[in-house]
Amino acid sequence: MIQIQTVSHRYGDREVLSDINLSLVEDRIGVIGANGSGKSTLARLLNGLVVPSTGRVLVDGMDTARDGAGVRRKVAFVFSDPDAQIVMPTVGEDVAFSLRRHGLGKQEVADRVRDILARFGLVGHSDHPAHLLSSGQKQLLALASVLVTEPEVLVCDEPTTLLDLRNSRQVAGLLAGLPQRVVLVTHDLELLQGWQRVLVIDGGRVVADGPAAQSIGHYQSLMGAGRTC
Amino acid sequence: MLTSVYRPGTSLLHRSGAGVKLLGLLVFSTVLVAGRSPVTVLLCAAVVVGLYGIGGFGVRMLAAQLWPLRWIVLLLVPFQWWTAGWQTAVTVVGTIVVAVVGAALISLTTRVTDLLDVIARLLQPARAIGVDPERVALLLALTIRAVPVIAGTLQEARDARRARGLEHSTRALVTPVVVRTIRHADRVGDALAARGIDD
């Protein structure tokens, strides 16, 4: 379980999150909100990439501020730009890189890499240069590279933003089928249809929290009300 | 474009250990530099061509490794010939070309992860003076990875400059490349932290 307890966060003088209290237990949690609303910061709090200015975030009882390494073993993170996430020159090597400090033997690493690449339809690309993959394949590689460590939670910050419709749907399908708990920050409301819980962030606060249909409706009316022309 | 990325294969070179290949490169480079003669350069060049054959690579792959060196050859050969004679020109430029193409053979037949393992092992004694071998290996991996990323950024900045009709503006090329490279480095740092690489 992830608990966010009276969390506020500032970048300099600007408060981006204000007094957030949440318990995240559902398997599929969406986060939506306008640009600059604080949703990416909220996502980054979950695996300790951002440490709250006040309050605390607990993952299965571990404080992200004090046990960041332990938290990151449980909570994986995928960004919108896979190019920034791919470290090694070839596809297979990038996935294997995630297991580098896990103390596994070569054969076990090779087996796990092969299995995850097969799951993501990349098995034929193992020795291909990663920078020559399509955008969709790069995002699949980014997902495979974090999921090979078998985390319990996957946090995705707008993973489909740079993808076309086909690739976006492929990534969405994969996310929907994962055994992990998924927290998905997105502008793509279609991706969240049927999700158990969707949070709407506005001005650094949670302004709606409920099943997808209810929260998306709230968000749409919020955006409509904000229109000036 | 990065021409010396690992190419899978089953040749003797592919099957040899990364440590053995690095040691071989060290010995080869020492002989090449210590020989200081056109004959040594030609003999070493013949060895490299032979090794490309053993690695299962043809003339095209050899040419792909030579092509990025064309400007060095075109600039240095006339200069060395003019200042020190043809023998020095062949020796100096030949040594550089043969060494680089020989080193590329290691990249072509060795996975980066295997090279990193060797480098991390070799640097273990440096722990005593506070050097983290894994961190050095990671630094090398990131450097290798940065080459195609920065090349792509440069190409995009060139296109953007042309689209704005600023073909001859250095600022319109350099500023976006520097800014985007720094932003990319920032994002890579975040991504590494998120993957727990630095924990």
Side-chain angles (χ1 to χ4, degrees), chain B residues 17-68:
Chain B
V20 172
K21 283 184 270 191
L22 284 176
L23 184 65
L25 180 65
L26 181 68
V27 171
F28 176 79
S29 305
T30 305
V31 169
L32 180 64
V33 172
R36 284 191 196 168
S37 73
V39 175
T40 309
V41 169
L42 285 174
L43 285 173
C44 287
V47 169
V48 167
V49 171
L51 288 172
Y52 269 75
I54 290 171
F57 302 114
V59 176
R60 187 173 287 188
M61 181 60 81
L62 191 57
Q65 308 311 312
L66 287 167
W67 184 244

Side-chain angles (χ1 to χ4, degrees), chain B residues 70-93 96:
Chain B
R70 63 193 182 281
W71 298 115
I72 293 174
V73 174
L74 288 173
L75 287 173
L76 279 185
V77 167
F79 177 74
Q80 290 287 338
W81 196 319
W82 181 50
T83 56
W86 71 269
Q87 285 183 316
T88 305
V90 170
T91 305
V92 171
V93 180
I96 294 170

Side-chain angles (χ1 to χ4, degrees), chain A residues 1-223:
Chain A
M1 177 166 72
I2 299 176
Q3 289 172 291
I4 300 174
Q5 299 177 339
T6 55
V7 163
S8 296
H9 190 70
R10 294 179 164 276
Y11 291 118
D13 290 338
R14 195 166 64 92
E15 189 169 65
V16 287
L17 287 176
S18 179
D19 198 26
I20 306 281
N21 283 287
L22 293 166
S23 285
L24 306 178
V25 291
E26 292 78 4
D27 284 339
R28 295 291 180 267
I29 300 166
V31 182
I32 53 179
N35 292 330
S37 59
K39 58 189 187 307
S40 286
T41 302
L42 179 69
R44 283 162 181 249
L45 286 170
L46 304 182
N47 90 331
L49 263 181
V50 169
V51 176
S53 305
T54 58
R56 58 185 193 157
V57 179
L58 302 175
V59 176
D60 289 344
M62 285 189 292
D63 191 329
T64 57
R66 274 190 252 142
D67 195 1
V71 167
R72 282 185 279 277
R73 276 195 290 276
K74 284 177 178 285
V75 184
F77 199 103
V78 169
F79 297 80
S80 53
D81 179 7
D83 266 324
Q85 244 179 279
I86 297 168
V87 176
M88 302 299 275
T90 64
V91 171
E93 286 179 298
D94 194 68
V95 178
F97 183 69
S98 296
L99 299 171
R100 201 168 164 75
R101 292 194 174 188
H102 284 241
L104 302 174
K106 274 197 163 187
Q107 192 54 51
E108 191 174 352
V109 169
D111 290 345
R112 282 172 72 165
V113 169
R114 196 188 48 247
D115 290 349
I116 196 101
L117 289 180
R119 255 175 75 194
F120 284 77
L122 291 170
V123 77
H125 298 278
S126 183
D127 289 319
H128 288 182
H131 68 279
L132 295 182
L133 294 177
S134 70
S135 300
Q137 287 172 325
K138 281 182 186 173
Q139 194 56 280
L140 291 177
L141 172 58
L143 277 165
S145 291
V146 298
L147 290 173
V148 74
T149 62
E150 297 174 353
E152 291 170 20
V153 182
L154 176 67
V155 181
C156 302
D157 189 4
E158 301 184 35
T160 58
T161 299
L162 302 177
L163 304 183
D164 62 25
L165 187 59
R166 180 184 296 167
N167 285 316
S168 176
R169 283 185 176 157
Q170 189 182 6
V171 169
L174 276 164
L175 290 178
L178 288 176
Q180 279 87 357
R181 182 183 303 159
V182 177
V183 179
L184 173 64
V185 176
T186 185
H187 286 294
D188 187 346
L189 303 180
E190 241 185 74
L191 284 184
L192 299 176
Q193 296 299 334
W195 279 44
Q196 293 161 303
R197 184 177 179 186
V198 173
L199 309 171
V200 181
I201 312 291
D202 189 46
R205 292 178 183 276
V206 179
V207 296
D209 180 356
Q214 181 189 318
S215 292
I216 289 171
H218 184 96
Y219 177 59
Q220 284 168 330
S221 60
L222 187 73
M223 292 297 103

Side-chain angles (χ1 to χ4, degrees), chain B residues 148-160:
Chain B
V149 172
I150 294 174
T153 303
L154 190 63
Q155 187 56 50
E156 284 171 17
R158 265 201 210 110
D159 290 345

